[in-house]
């Protein structure tokens, strides 16, 4: 026979239905035991601020513990002890409270005493003596601040005062301090075994004050380079000489005459200056008149470097050194620079030479009728490689070639479409080496702030693991390198990130180096991301001259540092960087951007309007 049992809970009853067969069913009712007693367990006492959990135990009429019965909690005095619905009891203030627990109409209680908290012990003693410096015979007041371990201020505690040196200062029970002799003492307060102290300085009575200071000699005359010893006399109000007083010397202009701590005056330059002696707030002075000796005449002029050689368009800074008959270097003399043939080389008023055409010329520097010279040789730079001799790798597919005949050239819907700013300009230059005569120009006006580009043009294309880029650039003759040294030409983007850019490196009118730059790559090769012309260290970017640039950029395989950069200047392989992991995955190049950012984020300004011209960008790629 099979049996199924169904149990229903209905208002304190249990109904049991038993099926003994398919023909008969029996029902049995069971009564749930009710709560007959509630006992409450609490500690007999808590300190104000403490908490405890009350425990209520419910039992039936035969003493069996009942579980799962709802319990409500009450307190006879919430001002003494509070209780939450869950039985959490909090001691509030000293007194006695009865805490009750009620379940099914039956209650139990427990009485709990709330005790006052013990006073917090003294943890720190801070002492202040006011004033902290007194004269013998004067008094000071010492006060103390007591705190517990939580930084709370304590009051009503016993404080004992003492002095570390009663010969210097004494202190009474109220903290009154009496200065007895010059010196120092620590005034200490002690409470409940903790101590703190503050220093008191006691000085002897002040000496008779200085009333006047006189300086002699009162008005000496000196020539530049000569010296004179001044003396100062201090007197009191009655005119008596005071000794042993501190004298401080100062010059109203160290550019005319300096004075030492002992009053020794040295003449520096022509003029008149007051030298002051100060003591205890009183001053006296001497007026020093300095006259300049006649300057030594220039006897010789030498120019360095003596025989520089530079390509056309490059610059070199000459310097002139003047000497007297005794071979002493002379400074501050007027120098006039001259070139007998500015078609070969010109020279500025400060000696900056610019090579203009092939040849040799004597650049002279003249000062006070004396002349020195340097032999400057200007050389013709090599022509760009002939067609067919470029360094494009084999197997490349043309991505695009833009000759820059107009700003809207190769714009959308052309593919790949170029994005070109309207503040670029198209100018004509018949000497452009790749696709004369139209070239694109970016202009940096005078006052242009470093850290940005005046304009840009660029193109995005399908990704290639290897790309080849070729173009020609000419910087204006007056090109000024920004103070950071770096002026960017273009960016190449790999996997959507501008990890490579090319820049010229040189400050002001200094020679410019070609730099291939890595940024934000996963793995740099040895060294860092700034790579000069390591294969040809002498390679330079020449102002005022067209130069061709070629770049072969190879992306990396996934997770591998096998990317590389090769840079060619005028057909010469000048830079190679290998062992690059551009990205964590496989790297493919997808963007060329001509964005000539001038310098870094400093405050340099372009001094006079300068330009960068670009001729014919050629881009190819392969996977």
């Amino acid at each position: 026979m099979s049996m199924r049992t169904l149990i229903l809970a209905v208002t304190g009853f249990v109904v049991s239905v038993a099926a003994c067969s398919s023909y008969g069913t029996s029902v049995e009712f069971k009564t749930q035991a009710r709560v007959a007693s509630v006992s409450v367990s609490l500690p007999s006492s808590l300190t104000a601020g403490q908490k405890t959990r009350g425990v209520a135990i419910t039992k039936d009429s035969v003493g069996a513990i009942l579980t799962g019965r709802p319990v409500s909690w009450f307190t006879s005095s919430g001002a003494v002890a509070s209780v939450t619905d869950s039985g959490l009891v909090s001691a509030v203030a000293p007194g006695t409270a009865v805490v009750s627990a009620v379940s099914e109409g039956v209650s139990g209680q427990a009485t709990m005493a709330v005790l006052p908290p013990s006073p917090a012990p003294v943890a720190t003693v801070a002492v202040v003596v006011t004033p902290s410096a007194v004269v013998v015979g004067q008094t000071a007041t010492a006060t103390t601040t007591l705190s517990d371990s939580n930084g709370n201020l304590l009051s009503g505690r016993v404080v004992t005062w003492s002095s570390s040196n009663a010969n210097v200062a004494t202190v009474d029970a109220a903290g009154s301090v009496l200065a007895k002799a010059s010196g120092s003492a620590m005034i200490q307060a002690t409470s409940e075994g903790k101590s703190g102290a503050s220093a008191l300085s006691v000085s002897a009575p002040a000496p008779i004050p200085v009333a006047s200071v006189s300086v002699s000699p009162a008005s000496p005359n000196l020539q530049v380079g000569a010296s004179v010893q001044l003396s100062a006399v201090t007197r009191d109000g009655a005119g008596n000489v005071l000794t042993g007083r501190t004298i401080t010397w100062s010059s109203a202009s160290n550019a005319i005459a300096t004075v030492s701590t002992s009053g020794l005056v040295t003449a520096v330059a022509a003029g008149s200056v007051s030298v002051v002696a100060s003591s205890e707030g009183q001053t006296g002075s001497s007026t020093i008149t300095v006259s300049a000796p006649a300057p030594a005449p220039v006897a010789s002029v030498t120019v360095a470097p003596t025989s520089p050689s530079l390509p056309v368009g490059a610059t070199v800074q000459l310097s002139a050194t003047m000497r007297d008959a005794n071979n002493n270097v002379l400074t501050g003399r007027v120098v006039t620079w001259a070139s007998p043939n500015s078609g070969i080389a010109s020279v500025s008023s400060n000696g900056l030479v610019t090579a203009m055409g092939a040849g040799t010329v004597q650049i002279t520097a003249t000062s006070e009728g004396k002349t020195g010279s340097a032999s400057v040789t200007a050389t013709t730079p090599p022509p760009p490689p002939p067609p067919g001799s470029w360094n494009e790798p084999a197997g490349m597919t043309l991505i695009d070639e833009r000759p820059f005949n107009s700003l809207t050239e190769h714009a959308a819907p052309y593919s790949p479409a170029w994005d070109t700013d309207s503040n670029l300009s198209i100018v004509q230059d018949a000497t452009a080496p790749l696709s004369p005569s139209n070239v694109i120009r970016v202009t940096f006006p005078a006052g242009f702030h470093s850290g940005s580009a005046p304009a840009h043009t660029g193109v995005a294309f399908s990704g290639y693991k290897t790309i080849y880029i070729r173009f020609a650039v000419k910087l204006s003759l007056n090109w000024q390198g920004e103070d950071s040294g770096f002026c960017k030409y273009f960016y190449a983007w790999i996997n959507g990130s501008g990890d490579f850019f090319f820049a010229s490196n040189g400050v002001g009118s200094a020679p410019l180096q070609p730099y291939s730059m890595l940024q934000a790559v996963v793995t740099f090769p040895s060294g860092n991301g700034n790579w000069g012309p390591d294969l040809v260290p002498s390679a330079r970017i020449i102002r005022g001259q067209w130069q061709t640039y070629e770049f072969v950029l190879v992306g990396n395989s996934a997770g591998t540092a096998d990317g590389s950069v090769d840079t060619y200047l005028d057909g010469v392989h000048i830079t190679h960087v290998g062992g690059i992991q551009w990205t964590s995955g496989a790297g493919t190049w997808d963007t060329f951007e001509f964005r000539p950012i001038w310098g870094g984020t400093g405050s340099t300004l372009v001094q006079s309007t300068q330009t960068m011209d670009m001729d014919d960008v050629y881009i190819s790629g392969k996977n």
Side-chain angles (χ1 to χ4, degrees), residues 400-412 414 416-420 426 435 438-440 457-458 616-617:
D400 197 23
E401 181 174 10
R402 185 177 177 187
F404 297 122
N405 289 320
S406 71
L407 293 182
T408 59
E409 171 188 66
H410 292 196
Y414 181 89
W418 287 69
D419 174 32
T420 304
I426 300 296
S435 59
N438 291 329
V439 297
I440 199 165
T457 183
D616 195 280
V617 174

Side-chain angles (χ1 to χ4, degrees), residues 3 10 71 76 84 116 165 178 199 231 242 266 306 360 436 457 459 461 479 564 566 578 589:
M3 177 178 292
V10 181
V71 175
S76 65
T84 67
N165 190 343
L178 174 63
S231 62
L242 303 175
T266 301
T306 58
T360 299
T457 183
V459 61
F461 44 82
W479 182 267
S564 63
D566 286 278
W589 301 95

Side-chain angles (χ1 to χ4, degrees), residues 485-500:
F486 291 105
C487 297
K488 303 172 180 65
Y489 282 32
F490 79 94
Y491 286 82
W493 294 59
I494 186 168
N495 289 10
S497 175
D499 290 353
F500 174 81

Side-chain angles (χ1 to χ4, degrees), residues 228-230 248-252 254 257-266 275-276:
V228 63
Q229 179 65 56
L230 301 183
T248 302
W249 294 93
S250 63
S251 170
N254 287 327
T258 61
V259 61
S260 71
T261 56
S262 63
L264 180 65
V265 175
T266 301
V275 174
V276 177

